[in-house]
Amino acid sequence: MPQYRLAARTGATRLQADADASAHAAVTNIGRATDYVIAVVLLAAALFFAGMSTKLQRPALRRSLLIFGLIAFLGTVAWIATFPISVAV
């Protein structure tokens, strides 16, 4: 009968919508966290290449490793600049 409505069904529908919104926010935040972890790894790799360049004897090889580290650093910083900015309320 159309007149008969379960009160629990209305509450369940509302709670399901809240759960769906929370799940979507969690997926978005996990993606952002993954991006930051990858950025940290890339920055650590840039530091590794820059540090290893000081241990090499040949200037051309030293310079090329330093340039590679610099490119990795600048590329990562440019990529981080495209990340969304969250404003805390």
Side-chain angles (χ1 to χ4, degrees), residues 10-38:
T10 305
T13 303
R14 182 182 48 78
L15 290 174
Q16 184 64 42
D18 290 346
D20 290 341
S22 294
H24 178 67
V27 168
T28 301
N29 290 332
I30 288 171
R32 287 183 185 165
T34 302
D35 288 343
Y36 278 106
V37 168
I38 292 171

